[in-house]
Amino acid sequence: MEQQYDVGRGGTPAIARPRITEVEQHGIDTIPAHHRHSRPLDLFRIQFGGANTFATVILGTFPILLGLSLWEALAATLLGVVVGALFLMPMGLFGPLTGTNNAVSSGAHFGVRGRIVGSFLSLLTALAFYSISVWVSGDAVVGALVRLTGIEDSDLLRGIVYAVLGAIVIVVVIYGYAFMLLVNKIVVFGNTILIALGAVAYSGQVDLGYDPGPDAYALGSFWPTFVLSALIVMGNPISFGAFLGDWSRYIPAETSPKRLLGATFSAQLMTLVPFSFGVITATLVSGEADYIVALINASPAWYAALLIVVAFLGGLSTGITSLYGTGLDFSSVFPRLSRVQASLSIGALAFVFILVGRLAFDLIASVNAFIGAIVICTTPWMVIMTIGYVVRRGHYRELDLQVFNQGRTGGAYWFASGVNWRGMAAWIPAAVLGLLFANYPPLIQGPFRNVAGGVDLSLLVAIGVAAVAYLVLIKVFPEPRYVFGPDGPRGVPASDSPMPEVVDDHGASAHRQRHRAPAVGE
């Protein structure tokens, strides 16, 4: 199918805009300039659309479930969103500069083979948020159907709804970026309006003075419970860290960094809409075992019907944004798989995880543990990437980032057999020590969780270790001058050494050639 080409003002080059019914051809290869058809506004839409869902609403209920008052819960939510957004903002800068996703871009700081760390974080996040989105959206649809039609709830019914929702997500992911952008454009407006109608549906029921008292604090006292609540909320913006490059790679390289930073920060602030909905409605059904079923039963019939739409659109949006990037990235980690095949494989794995996790394990405990692992492991990775961006002055070599994906060796980011041990030596201890200090009961409880009276120090430890270790390592063991570009490094020394020549790894290259996806026009 032919692409649409738009010529810019003043005779600027034509931009190819794919049709939404056209299967995306690009994988993690560098996006050519004439295919960069997105804007910072699109980055805003995808982030907000991907978070304006029942999955985010569920995260918003946690501060209340953990025993905070309404106003304490809202304060913890605001803190978690703002702090998470500040760490996330720089992660939208890499895609326009490198033309690829953040996992591949991280090869500049972890090595073209060491970037597997980013791929692992992408997989962890995709499994968690794809599963959460299908779980909670499917449960909301089932609950509303039971309320409105009288159909009997059952594991079979839930499994069917999960399968339908999960299959639609995979179909959209296969079509790719343009279709995903359309879905998120709809969700930005549609779900915002539908959630706002909740103010009408629950008017007169909300108790602004809701406070279960100090005996309700899940961790025994205020500050440990407040910090844990903020960290759980923070997991939502942090979860986008591995994925922002999936979407920003379609934005022109000359786009102002301020506009990219602003798009991310404002999108995350807008997630306070679904978060606040979760906080406030959780007070209405406090003490109930199943938040979704209890909320639907407490809703007027007209709003219970609307919740089906909210849940369905939200499940699509969150599932798509989570699964798309992982399928994209793993098509390069496993060269036998095309982007479409990788998406199908990861989607199938995630669906098995959904069924086992939902039917055999405690949903709240599972979500709590996954969010904790994502925050602790991803934040130090983002810190290292951000420091690297600053000291490199935003200079990246697009072609050299792709050598491993193309079955070659060498280039600016080859370092030691494809691994930059400076980045790895900073990230590994940061993530490990963070987990040792973590307190995400009952599944993640590190041995040092009580050193501050029960206050969770895992994030501070992970961030501090990553930042200090990486800065010390790149000062004591300077990186090669050729990775910094013509203006040289900012604030750190550089070493003088020849750049490894890019050569074919004949075995890997032939393997990739046999199993690569067809190029456009083939």
Side-chain angles (χ1 to χ4, degrees):
M1 183 173 292
E2 294 184 357
Q3 292 178 313
Q4 298 170 304
Y5 286 84
D6 296 339
V7 180
R9 296 176 181 175
T12 55
I15 301 296
R17 300 183 183 279
R19 303 179 189 275
I20 63 170
T21 55
E22 177 184 353
V23 175
E24 181 182 8
Q25 297 297 321
H26 288 295
I28 43 75
D29 52 305
T30 304
I31 305 297
H34 65 283
H35 285 186
R36 304 283 188 94
H37 54 76
S38 284
R39 300 168 294 164
L41 178 60
D42 294 324
L43 184 60
F44 168 90
R45 287 168 172 164
I46 291 182
Q47 287 184 73
F48 180 36
N52 195 23
T53 68
F54 246 102
T56 306
V57 168
I58 287 293
L59 294 182
T61 68
F62 272 78
I64 296 296
L65 294 177
L66 293 173
L68 296 182
S69 71
L70 174 61
W71 294 105
E72 291 168 348
L74 289 172
T77 300
L78 177 62
L79 178 64
V81 168
V82 171
V83 173
L86 291 174
F87 279 101
L88 176 66
M89 286 166 62
M91 303 310 292
L93 300 175
F94 296 93
L97 295 174
T98 64
T100 188
N101 69 347
N102 279 358
V104 176
S105 297
S106 72
H109 308 293
F110 290 86
V112 291
R113 284 177 171 166
R115 63 90 168 174
I116 193 68
V117 169
S119 300
F120 162 75
L121 295 174
S122 173
L123 176 61
L124 181 68
T125 305
L127 286 175
F129 279 85
Y130 175 78
S131 301
I132 292 170
S133 67
V134 175
W135 272 336
V136 300
S137 298
D139 285 355
V141 170
V142 169
L145 289 174
V146 171
R147 164 79 187 278
L148 297 172
T149 68
I151 189 174
E152 184 178 354
D153 192 357
S154 67
D155 288 342
L156 176 61
L157 176 61
R158 292 182 184 240
I160 292 173
V161 173
Y162 296 158
V164 171
L165 190 58
I168 295 174
V169 167
I170 292 175
V171 169
V172 176
V173 166
I174 287 173
Y175 274 101
Y177 177 79
F179 205 155
M180 179 178 67
L181 182 57
L182 174 64
V183 170
N184 281 280
K185 286 179 179 179
I186 295 171
V187 173
V188 163
F189 294 104
N191 268 12
T192 300
I193 293 172
L194 293 172
I195 288 175
L197 287 174
V200 178
Y202 305 119
S203 61
Q205 299 184 53
V206 177
D207 178 10
L208 296 179
Y210 173 84
D211 187 352
D215 292 338
Y217 292 135
L219 298 186
S221 58
F222 170 72
W223 282 112
T225 306
F226 181 86
V227 171
L228 175 60
S229 299
L231 288 174
I232 291 173
V233 171
M234 186 178 170
N236 195 66
I238 293 299
S239 71
F240 284 91
F243 298 133
L244 285 194
D246 300 342
W247 318 314
S248 66
R249 78 194 207 280
Y250 277 100
I251 297 175
E254 62 272 14
T255 302
S256 166
K258 290 183 179 179
R259 294 183 63 200
L260 294 167
L261 295 171
T264 293
F265 189 74
S266 57
Q268 295 305 319
L269 282 186
M270 286 299 295
T271 65
L272 289 171
V273 172
F275 267 121
S276 298
F277 181 88
V279 171
I280 294 170
T281 55
T283 66
L284 303 179
V285 296
S286 177
E288 298 289 340
D290 191 323
Y291 161 79
I292 295 176
V293 172
L295 179 64
I296 290 172
N297 290 333
S299 304
W302 65 269
Y303 196 67
L306 288 180
L307 286 177
I308 295 180
V309 181
V310 174
F312 183 77
L313 290 178
L316 285 183
S317 184
T318 299
I320 292 165
T321 53
S322 299
L323 193 60
Y324 171 78
T326 302
L328 182 72
D329 189 55
F330 269 72
S331 64
S332 67
V333 176
F334 300 102
R336 287 180 178 272
L337 303 178
S338 67
R339 183 189 68 83
V340 172
Q341 292 170 331
S343 298
L344 288 171
S345 300
I346 298 299
L349 175 63
F351 186 71
V352 171
F353 180 79
I354 289 168
L355 293 180
V356 174
R358 180 62 181 87
L359 302 178
F361 295 97
D362 185 299
L363 175 60
I364 299 300
S366 301
V367 171
N368 199 12
F370 262 99
I371 297 300
I374 288 169
V375 170
I376 293 168
C377 294
T378 304
T379 307
W381 178 79
M382 292 164 61
V383 168
I384 292 168
M385 290 275 286
T386 301
I387 293 174
Y389 175 91
V390 172
V391 300
R392 303 265 183 97
R393 303 179 189 272
H395 174 81
Y396 295 95
R397 296 171 178 262
E398 295 179 355
L399 297 180
D400 287 15
L401 285 169
Q402 297 287 343
V403 295
F404 173 72
N405 309 325
Q406 297 169 349
R408 299 186 293 169
T409 64
Y413 307 122
W414 188 246
F415 299 105
S417 299
V419 176
N420 185 354
W421 60 267
R422 301 165 187 83
M424 297 293 285
W427 177 77
I428 292 174
V432 171
L433 287 173
L435 291 171
L436 293 178
F437 279 85
N439 189 18
Y440 288 83
L443 299 181
I444 299 181
Q445 293 182 291
F448 305 137
R449 64 185 182 277
N450 292 319
V451 296
V455 175
D456 194 315
L457 298 180
S458 59
L459 185 62
L460 290 177
V461 170
I463 292 171
V465 171
V468 172
Y470 187 56
L471 284 171
V472 168
L473 287 169
I474 60 178
K475 283 181 176 289
V476 176
F477 304 98
E479 293 180 310
R481 191 173 302 279
Y482 51 76
V483 303
F484 294 103
D487 294 329
R490 177 185 282 124
V492 296
S495 63
D496 292 309
S497 59
M499 185 170 67
E501 181 184 359
V502 176
V503 297
D504 285 336
D505 181 347
H506 295 291
S509 181
H511 186 76
R512 282 167 167 77
Q513 183 66 24
R514 287 196 303 271
H515 298 285
R516 70 182 180 88
V520 178
E522 288 188 348

